[in-house]
Amino acid sequence: MVVAILRVVSPIEIPIGLGLSEANWRFSGPKYDNLHRKKSRLSVYSLYTTSKYACVGFEPESNGKFQIRSSLVANPAGEATISSSEQKVYDVVLKQAALVKDQTKSSRKSTDVKPDIVLPGTVYLLKDAYDRCGEVCAEYAKTFYLGTLLMTPERRRAIWAIYVWCRRTDELVDGHNASHITPSALDRWEARLEDLFDGRPYDMFDAALSDTVSRFPVDIQPFMDMVEGMRMDLKKSRYKNFDELYLYCYYVAGTVGLMSVPVMGIAPESLAEAESVYNAALALGIANQLTNILRDVGEDARRGRIYLPQDELAEAGFSDEDVFTGQVTDKWRSFMKRQIKRARMFFEQAEKGVTELSQASRWPVWASLLLYRQILDEIEANDYNNFTKRAYVSKVKRLAALPLAYGKSLLIPLSLRSSLSKA
Ligand SMILES: CC(C)=CCC/C(C)=C/CC/C(C)=C/CC/C(C)=C/[C@@H]1[C@@H](COP(=O)(O)OP(=O)(O)O)[C@]1(C)CC/C=C(\C)CC/C=C(\C)CCC=C(C)C
Ligand SMILES: [Mn+2]
């Protein structure tokens, strides 16, 4: 019997290879009750867990080898290791969490902000820059903009500045001039990012972000990684497996969570580790992007792009051609059900972190989580036709989510609740 300790950094589905029968593998560990076993078709066994550590004991097959596929791989010694994408992303999470801890340890708390530096004219220019960021935000993301109005003025304008930088970065590869964008244009965008982090902004939007990153403990890495995601979009239109897709989702969306938490702030009464809050933030970005992908299957296919894992498509009996043709069959419905389930697992993990955020930041985050998650319900309501029907959450439903989000934002941190219930 070999026991592998797996460090799980996000809700994860671990299909254990063909040939292992239920009799010769079992699960144990401190969070055993968080593990769900599932036997799926083709006798592939899956382990679902949202806990941080899982301990898996299993016997080798008759040939002495272990077959563990997808997110986890077994090394020749038979030890299971975390996938390279998850490890890479987790390292960024640790780095960002450490930055916040350092800041909290040193005299200033992460919730404090530097006073405005009063150079003649500077404050006014900065105010204009932030106001413009707010206008852009209100124009592109009305509901989210409304949500930010509950935050403190310093946090609100910092989030607007981050939003605008993200929107502009995405516009480079998705906007009107996208056909002219080359990798070297992205290199220049990245150099500009470094300049603004060094206090040398190029335009007024950069000036707002430059000010934001000087006030809050935000690391440059998630920003650089988002540019990397855009580079990926220029050169890649297929994803071999979920591991590759996960990395892409981190680059273009998980990064947003890591950029935002240092500004939103963790509740002073929260007992959660910064690292776990960052993991939840990362999960929200991943969940949102997976949802985007599932909503836009047809639209992406018409641009020659398929953001669904190629190995999972093939296993379910689909070729690229099938995706381009776009027939909603029972086979497609059950494939979609699995994809939706995975996206929901990431939302579930994100939920655990929202209550740990500072009170005023929770409402926009809950609103965004509830609204995005509803897109998955709409894909189901469209009978899984994501080829020609765009899943759309009606204005009434969107508005109805706002008071619900507000109610949830009043809950005390989960970490505090569980320690109170133990006491
Ligand atoms: C503890 C905890 C849960 C904290 C919350 C952390 C947090 C605020 C997470 C935010 C997650 C989020 C909103 C991620 C954005 C995901 C997303 C939609 C990414 C899009 C990428 C590219 O997609 P694609 O091109 O396929 O899609 P389009 O057709 O273009 O839509 C993006 C477009 C990348 C650019 C991202 C933005 C413009 C959004 C940036 C948002 C913020 C900075 C504000 C986040 C704050 C709140 C309150 C939601
Ligand atoms: Mn886009």
Side-chain angles (χ1 to χ4, degrees):
M1 158 75 68
V2 171
V3 174
I5 310 258
L6 316 173
R7 185 161 53 90
V8 181
V9 293
S10 55
I12 197 170
E13 183 189 330
I14 311 165
I16 300 190
L18 292 166
L20 290 173
S21 72
E22 179 140 18
N24 60 19
W25 56 268
R26 64 168 188 257
F27 307 109
S28 59
K31 295 214 173 145
Y32 180 49
D33 48 15
N34 260 345
L35 301 176
H36 308 288
R37 276 185 291 173
K38 184 171 180 265
K39 186 178 174 186
S40 57
R41 280 185 316 125
L42 296 168
S43 1
V44 176
Y45 290 90
S46 300
L47 157 66
Y48 296 96
T49 173
T50 52
S51 72
K52 221 163 160 196
Y53 293 92
C55 202
V56 185
F58 46 88
E59 300 279 359
E61 288 179 88
S62 51
N63 60 7
K65 289 199 180 120
F66 299 95
Q67 282 191 37
I68 301 180
R69 300 179 301 129
S70 190
S71 297
L72 288 163
V73 286
N75 65 21
E79 294 157 341
T81 54
I82 201 89
S83 80
S84 57
S85 295
E86 281 163 327
Q87 186 59 57
K88 193 170 171 170
V89 173
Y90 191 56
D91 289 344
V92 185
V93 167
L94 289 181
K95 198 171 154 203
Q96 180 62 69
L99 202 68
V100 175
K101 276 186 208 151
D102 281 358
Q103 174 110 9
T104 321
K105 260 191 251 145
S106 65
S107 57
R108 214 147 43 95
K109 284 215 182 100
S110 61
T111 47
D112 293 343
V113 287
K114 279 200 306 198
D116 282 331
I117 305 158
V118 188
L119 290 176
T122 324
V123 175
Y124 292 109
L125 283 178
L126 212 47
K127 185 184 175 304
D128 284 352
Y130 276 120
D131 286 350
R132 273 296 295 138
C133 290
E135 282 164 24
V136 173
C137 202
E139 194 182 324
Y140 282 88
K142 186 121 219 131
T143 323
F144 159 66
Y145 172 78
L146 291 176
T148 61
L149 296 181
L150 273 195
M151 299 166 91
T152 62
E154 292 79 13
R155 285 185 177 148
R156 173 195 314 157
R157 60 187 205 166
I159 286 289
W160 292 342
I162 296 176
Y163 176 88
V164 169
W165 184 86
C166 292
R167 173 69 32 237
R168 289 172 101 189
T169 307
D170 182 58
E171 284 286 304
L172 291 175
V173 292
D174 271 356
H176 293 306
N177 293 320
S179 57
H180 304 292
I181 296 296
T182 57
S184 62
L186 291 178
D187 292 346
R188 285 199 297 279
W189 186 247
E190 192 175 274
R192 212 171 125 163
L193 174 73
E194 281 168 333
D195 279 349
L196 78 85
F197 263 82
D198 288 343
R200 292 189 306 275
Y202 186 83
D203 63 13
M204 76 187 311
F205 294 117
D206 283 0
L209 185 58
S210 185
D211 182 64
T212 289
V213 303
S214 74
R215 287 164 187 274
F216 293 93
V218 185
D219 190 42
I220 194 171
Q221 191 65 47
F223 292 84
M224 306 266 272
D225 285 345
M226 183 177 273
V227 179
E228 189 57 32
M230 302 305 157
R231 278 197 192 95
M232 231 161 149
D233 254 336
L234 288 187
K235 58 182 185 223
K236 203 168 157 74
S237 59
R238 299 288 185 281
Y239 292 82
K240 266 206 296 262
N241 48 35
F242 185 67
D243 194 36
E244 274 194 16
L245 186 66
Y246 176 87
L247 191 59
Y248 170 73
C249 292
Y250 158 68
Y251 282 149
V252 300
T255 48
V256 179
L258 303 192
M259 296 167 189
S260 311
V261 173
V263 171
M264 295 184 160
I266 297 178
E269 68 275 22
S270 164
L271 300 173
E273 286 290 333
E275 183 193 322
S276 71
V277 182
Y278 278 95
N279 261 333
L282 166 71
L284 184 55
I286 305 268
N288 285 349
Q289 189 61 17
L290 288 175
T291 303
N292 250 0
I293 287 172
L294 298 179
R295 182 194 58 195
D296 297 342
V297 170
E299 201 179 304
D300 288 333
R302 286 186 280 284
R303 296 190 304 152
R305 301 184 158 270
I306 301 179
Y307 289 99
L308 297 164
Q310 292 278 302
D311 61 346
E312 293 176 21
L313 277 169
E315 204 169 292
F318 295 107
S319 63
D320 285 0
E321 212 34 57
D322 294 325
V323 179
F324 293 142
T325 317
Q327 290 291 321
V328 183
T329 58
D330 280 348
K331 203 165 80 173
W332 180 255
R333 290 186 187 94
S334 64
F335 177 70
M336 272 304 128
K337 280 181 194 165
R338 280 198 65 188
Q339 302 294 322
I340 290 175
K341 182 173 180 171
R342 175 156 58 205
R344 287 200 173 118
M345 282 172 69
F346 281 97
F347 278 119
E348 230 174 80
Q349 202 200 6
E351 277 194 70
K352 295 194 185 104
V354 192
T355 53
E356 310 299 332
L357 294 174
S358 67
Q359 154 91 72
S361 303
R362 287 180 216 151
W363 187 45
V365 175
W366 271 121
S368 124
L369 189 153
L370 297 175
L371 292 175
Y372 245 87
R373 188 162 54 188
Q374 281 191 64
I375 298 176
L376 297 174
D377 304 339
E378 296 302 325
I379 298 175
E380 289 169 341
N382 284 347
D383 194 24
Y384 306 94
N385 180 0
N386 42 9
F387 295 118
T388 55
K389 271 191 179 170
R390 188 178 164 94
Y392 170 79
V393 182
S394 69
K395 204 169 182 174
V396 176
K397 283 188 188 164
R398 272 187 284 153
L399 288 177
L402 297 182
L404 180 60
Y406 186 69
K408 282 176 173 284
S409 74
L410 300 178
L411 295 173
I412 62 166
L414 197 63
S415 59
L416 188 61
R417 248 179 291 160
S418 41
S419 100
L420 288 177
S421 68
K422 272 184 210 137

